Coordinates of all heavy atoms in Angstrom, one line a residue:
K47 N -3.5 20.5 21.3 CA -2.1 20.1 21.7 C -1.4 19.7 20.4 O -0.2 19.9 20.2 CB -2.2 18.9 22.6 CG -2.8 19.1 23.9 CD -1.8 19.8 24.8 CE -2.4 20.1 26.2 NZ -1.7 21.2 26.9
N53 N -5.6 9.2 12.3 CA -6.8 8.6 12.7 C -7.0 7.2 12.4 O -7.8 6.5 12.9 CB -8.0 9.5 12.2 CG -7.9 10.9 12.8 OD1 -8.3 11.0 13.9 ND2 -7.5 11.9 12.0
G78 N -17.3 -1.6 43.8 CA -16.8 -2.9 43.5 C -17.3 -3.2 42.0 O -18.2 -2.7 41.5
I133 N -10.2 -20.4 0.5 CA -10.4 -19.1 0.9 C -10.1 -18.1 -0.2 O -9.0 -18.2 -0.8 CB -9.6 -18.6 2.1 CG1 -9.9 -19.6 3.3 CG2 -9.8 -17.2 2.6 CD1 -8.9 -19.4 4.5
M190 N -11.5 -1.2 3.7 CA -10.6 -0.1 3.4 C -9.3 -0.6 4.0 O -9.2 -0.9 5.2 CB -11.0 1.1 4.1 CG -12.3 1.7 3.5 SD -12.8 3.3 4.3 CE -14.4 3.5 3.6
D217 N -13.6 -7.1 6.9 CA -12.7 -6.4 7.8 C -13.1 -5.0 7.6 O -12.6 -4.3 6.6 CB -11.3 -6.7 7.6 CG -10.3 -5.9 8.4 OD1 -10.8 -4.9 8.9 OD2 -9.2 -6.3 8.5
S299 N -15.6 -0.5 31.6 CA -15.5 0.9 31.5 C -15.2 1.3 30.0 O -15.8 2.3 29.5 CB -14.5 1.5 32.4 OG -13.1 1.1 32.0

Side-chain angles (χ1 to χ4, degrees):
K47 300 280 180 199
N53 296 288
I133 299 168
M190 297 185 189
D217 175 341
S299 66

